[in-house]
Amino acid sequence: MDIKDIIKPENIVYKKTKLFTEKPLSYCPGCGHGTAHRMLLEVLEEMNIYSDTVGIAPVGCSVLAYEFLDIDMQQAAHGRAPALATAVKRLMPDKFVFTYQGDGDLAAIGTAETIHACNRGENFTMIFINNGIYGMTGGQMAPTTLPGMRASTCPFGRNTEIMGNPLKITELLAQLPGVYYATRQAVHTPNAVRKTKKALRNAFEYQKLKKGISFVEIVSNCNSGWKMTPNQSNKWMEDNMFPFYPLGDIKVPQLEKV
Amino acid sequence: MGELKLMKGNEAVAEAAIRAGADGYFGYPITPQSEIMEYLMTEKPYETTGMVVLQAESEVAAINMVYGGASCGRMVMTSSSSPGISLKMEGISYLAGAELPAVIVNVVRGGPGLGTIQPSQSDYFQATKGGGHGDYRMYVLAPSSVQEMCDFVKIGFDMAFKYRNPVMILSDGAIGQMMEKVVLFDPIPRRTPEEIEKQCPWATVGKKANRERNIITSLLLDSHEQEQHVFKLRDKYKRMQQEDVKFEKIQCDDAEYLFVAYGSSARICQKAVDMARAQGIKVGLFRPITLFPFPSEELKKLSSQIKGILSVEMSLGQMIEDIKLAVECKVPVNHFGRTGGVIHSPGEVFEALKSTYLGG
């Protein structure tokens, strides 16, 4: 097939979602954030809810998310996105609200806000990008850093006797009655991307039901922080992150039959 | 005339919030201001006006809920007391940076640290000089009666939206806890979502097709942009100074000496003025109502006729710095105060004036 045929409108399979702004992504090449952003935006576009959606991205690599997402956005202080989202959703219960947070944000400095928003069963969606490291600040240890994994503040590998164990925050949150849906996905292969998109779609569909938090963890790479090529980091993630953070649903609602 | 009631200062704040048409209150209990949320939870405004009332998991969460709600153009408030306000300072800096309107009530108690639960005025610096990080100011109102606890909530919301800036009502444990008669203003209906979108076109309420996306942020990575932003904020603070300074003068016309005091201290000084006048000593009381912007111009004008000023504060002396700046050190300015939660008596204040300026 000639290239001219391929780019004919009727042959286009995938195109840029209109909800991306024109600004080039500032994430490192090979980082999962770009794909995660895209899946989120595709879901908002397909559900046609973007004009009723408010997104909240706090500090960390995603602090500039509002530069790329063409929707109304709030930038929160480090860790506080679930508090903002609580107020936004309570004051505007018919809008769609999501937080987009990294591991340091959601599972370290913002643990209290995370747990209590989940425990109150707030009706918004939390998107949790877990790459086991602090990307933006230059690769320091996160609560989700694996045992033995190196970071700039554990240069000889995480010693669990001194630094504690990695926190499986999604499993912990799934125990709370206020969490309606909890799942763990990835975006490193086309198959994983499709599953993540489905999970995000579920999360926003469940948000409509107003039965509590819908929580999507996306295990991702940080090739810069891990000091690997993008391909190496994806392989390393499969070999090391997935055994500790297994992919798949953790809590699926038992929907009442209509 | 509005409804007349006997109320605690804290209750007056809560009732005023409902009547002002507030959309939300987010707080965390701490003595001596817990009655604010208790009153709201008892009155159940969510069933009448639709106002959201939520007990947060911490002061930090509460102020960030305020940030989220204010970002949607909503009228939101929080309240706390000194140690809790310290926790809220991070969020207040973000509110100022992101130019968000909110009312924050501080019912001050003695500190530093956990301190005491007794009234104090030792948070003056924190309220008026920034408190959180960065170059910013809050609009600070200092009530000296339960009536003003009520009225300043409404004025506070007006100023917060006029300037898109956090407003602090700097009260103390005495005014929060004491009961007085209050004339309540008539309830104002909450604004509809349509009215909010019209009045607050910057609010993040979902991007409609006819406008650019709205972004609420305090992040400006380019330092030159950040400098311009701070200059813009500075101009706003200058405007407050020009348009919305509030103060009260009591028996100042013929005064030779002046008490300068706010809040509870001003009430005490009023009695001390009476004691002095009874002995033929010409003393007046100048009461700043806005602590930021400070009524510097008015005080400077008065200083030409004055032989001495006594700054009376329930602190080691914080407002005295603003007084000295206002009168440009052309008049002697001294401090009298008790601190740590101890309240001075009118007699003590009068004695302090005599020993400072009248040779005992």
Side-chain angles (χ1 to χ4, degrees):
Chain A
M1 195 188 275
D2 190 71
I3 182 112
K4 282 178 186 162
D5 294 318
I6 294 171
I7 61 169
K8 275 183 185 167
E10 59 268 31
N11 289 335
I12 290 176
V13 178
Y14 237 44
K15 59 182 177 185
K16 173 177 162 290
T17 161
K18 69 175 181 183
L19 295 181
F20 259 129
T21 63
E22 295 302 320
K23 186 160 178 137
L25 290 180
S26 53
Y27 302 113
C28 303
C31 165
H33 268 304
T35 317
H37 275 19
R38 179 179 176 128
M39 292 307 108
L40 165 66
L41 292 178
E42 284 187 4
V43 166
L44 297 182
E45 187 178 357
E46 285 166 21
M47 290 176 72
N48 195 26
I49 57 172
Y50 50 88
S51 62
D52 286 316
T53 299
V54 177
I56 298 160
V59 178
C61 280
S62 61
V63 72
L64 291 170
Y66 56 77
E67 299 270 353
F68 318 122
L69 278 50
D70 192 18
I71 56 172
D72 277 3
M73 293 281 295
Q74 300 177 8
Q75 179 259 315
H78 205 183
R80 317 298 176 216
L84 272 64
T86 295
V88 174
K89 188 71 182 187
R90 292 219 179 200
L91 290 161
M92 304 191 300
D94 296 327
K95 305 279 178 177
F96 289 85
V97 180
F98 70 86
T99 68
Y100 187 99
Q101 303 174 261
D103 39 55
D105 200 84
L106 185 140
I109 195 168
T111 322
E113 283 79 1
T114 299
I115 289 180
H116 286 279
C118 287
N119 195 46
R120 286 192 301 264
E122 302 293 343
N123 297 309
F124 58 82
T125 296
M126 296 179 81
I127 301 165
F128 169 41
I129 310 294
N130 177 11
N131 54 22
I133 203 161
Y134 288 4
M136 176 173 251
T137 44
Q140 294 83 11
M141 185 180 75
T144 49
T145 298
L146 296 174
M149 185 175 164
R150 289 184 189 185
S152 69
T153 50
C154 52
F156 308 107
R158 181 179 190 149
N159 179 339
T160 55
E161 283 185 21
I162 301 169
M163 299 155 183
N165 285 292
L167 182 58
K168 291 186 179 181
I169 188 93
T170 309
E171 277 88 344
L172 193 146
L173 296 172
Q175 305 298 315
L176 303 171
V179 174
Y180 191 60
Y181 171 59
T183 188
R184 182 184 287 123
Q185 304 295 336
V187 287
H188 65 305
T189 63
N191 191 29
V193 168
R194 276 193 286 274
K195 284 184 181 169
T196 296
K197 186 173 171 184
K198 183 77 176 68
L200 289 166
R201 175 81 191 226
N202 286 344
F204 282 91
E205 294 287 353
Y206 291 145
Q207 193 180 143
K208 279 186 196 167
L209 304 177
K210 299 184 178 174
K211 296 205 170 189
I213 294 277
S214 47
F215 193 96
V216 181
E217 175 179 342
I218 300 173
V219 180
S220 191
N221 60 340
C222 179
N223 39 300
S224 301
W226 296 355
K227 309 208 184 317
M228 296 174 192
T229 66
N231 281 341
Q232 280 172 345
S233 72
N234 282 338
K235 178 78 172 59
W236 192 89
M237 179 166 64
E238 284 182 346
D239 293 345
N240 298 278
M241 294 282 276
F242 294 169
F244 196 85
Y245 300 111
L247 303 189
D249 290 336
I250 297 167
K251 187 176 194 178
V252 184
Q254 304 297 312
L255 292 175
E256 296 118 34
K257 289 197 176 72
V258 181
Chain B
M1 190 165 139
E3 192 181 341
L4 187 68
K5 266 196 165 182
L6 181 67
M7 299 185 102
K8 267 191 174 191
N10 288 333
E11 294 168 347
V13 164
E15 179 62 34
I18 301 170
R19 286 174 180 251
D23 298 299
Y25 171 91
F26 305 92
Y28 188 76
I30 178 172
T31 309
Q33 62 79 54
S34 298
E35 293 89 351
I36 295 175
M37 194 177 1
E38 288 170 354
Y39 184 93
L40 288 170
M41 290 296 189
T42 308
E43 288 299 306
K44 297 197 273 191
Y46 41 90
E47 287 179 3
T48 50
T49 70
M51 177 185 177
V52 171
V53 186
L54 184 63
Q55 179 170 339
E57 62 270 32
S58 67
E59 285 91 346
V60 176
I63 192 71
N64 281 283
M65 288 172 184
V66 163
Y67 181 105
S71 300
C72 304
R74 264 57 182 177
M75 277 171 67
V76 283
M77 71 181 288
T78 186
S79 63
S80 192
S81 182
S82 309
I85 292 290
S86 292
L87 287 170
K88 288 187 199 287
M89 276 297 160
E90 175 199 47
I92 293 172
S93 166
Y94 276 75
L95 285 164
E99 294 195 83
L100 291 172
V103 171
I104 300 137
V105 182
N106 184 0
V107 183
V108 180
R109 60 191 245 184
L114 200 52
T116 166
I117 58 170
Q118 301 304 323
S120 179
Q121 294 183 321
S122 48
D123 295 359
Y124 180 92
F125 281 150
Q126 189 192 43
T128 60
K129 310 292 179 195
H133 58 281
D135 269 343
Y136 79 92
R137 290 287 191 272
M138 278 185 281
Y139 187 84
V140 183
L141 286 159
S144 72
S145 64
V146 175
Q147 182 67 54
E148 286 185 339
M149 287 287 263
C150 168
D151 296 343
F152 287 5
V153 169
K154 188 168 167 299
I155 295 172
F157 275 121
D158 289 345
M159 292 298 135
F161 276 85
K162 176 176 177 182
Y163 293 108
R164 278 184 65 184
N165 202 66
V167 170
M168 176 167 279
I169 297 176
L170 191 72
S171 175
D172 67 59
I175 303 167
Q177 290 296 327
M178 72 184 175
M179 291 187 96
E180 287 185 316
K181 70 173 182 195
V182 196
V183 180
L184 297 165
F185 57 87
D186 291 335
I188 302 161
R190 283 177 58 224
R191 295 166 305 157
T192 63
E194 294 73 29
E195 286 169 336
I196 290 168
E197 279 190 49
K198 208 174 158 198
Q199 290 168 15
C200 307
W202 46 267
T204 49
V205 293
K207 178 189 176 297
K208 297 291 173 293
N210 59 0
R211 67 157 166 86
E212 289 291 299
R213 67 192 189 283
N214 281 338
I215 296 161
I216 300 293
T217 181
S218 61
L219 176 75
L220 287 161
L221 287 171
D222 183 299
S223 55
H224 293 283
E225 269 184 63
Q226 180 65 38
E227 187 184 45
Q228 288 308 312
H229 180 60
V230 177
F231 284 158
K232 183 184 157 202
L233 297 181
R234 176 199 59 190
D235 293 345
K236 189 159 80 172
Y237 308 140
K238 279 186 181 168
R239 232 179 94 214
M240 290 177 187
Q241 187 83 46
Q242 286 156 1
E243 297 176 21
D244 288 298
V245 174
K246 294 182 201 300
F247 58 89
E248 187 185 14
K249 289 190 288 189
I250 296 166
Q251 301 197 53
C252 286
D253 290 349
D254 64 341
E256 294 175 351
Y257 299 94
L258 217 55
F259 292 124
V260 181
Y262 67 94
S264 291
S265 288
R267 290 280 288 267
I268 294 159
C269 285
Q270 210 169 324
K271 183 74 181 164
V273 167
D274 294 343
M275 292 167 83
R277 290 269 171 183
Q279 294 190 19
I281 304 163
K282 288 179 179 172
V283 182
L285 166 62
F286 184 84
R287 174 168 83 100
I289 293 174
T290 51
L291 302 181
F292 185 90
F294 193 75
S296 307
E297 287 301 315
E298 277 299 322
L299 195 53
K300 191 181 164 188
K301 271 185 224 163
L302 267 179
S303 66
S304 60
Q305 69 183 61
I306 295 294
K307 294 180 189 164
I309 290 175
L310 196 64
S311 174
V312 182
E313 307 173 60
M314 281 144 59
S315 75
L316 287 179
Q318 300 188 12
M319 183 175 65
I320 186 171
E321 296 186 6
D322 284 332
I323 298 170
K324 284 183 174 177
L325 284 170
V327 301
E328 295 167 350
C329 297
K330 287 172 183 161
V331 180
V333 182
N334 282 281
H335 168 261
F336 173 73
R338 301 297 298 270
T339 186
V342 179
I343 307 175
H344 34 247
S345 68
E348 270 183 319
V349 174
F350 180 40
E351 286 305 318
L353 179 82
K354 284 201 286 189
S355 64
T356 309
Y357 292 116
L358 303 165

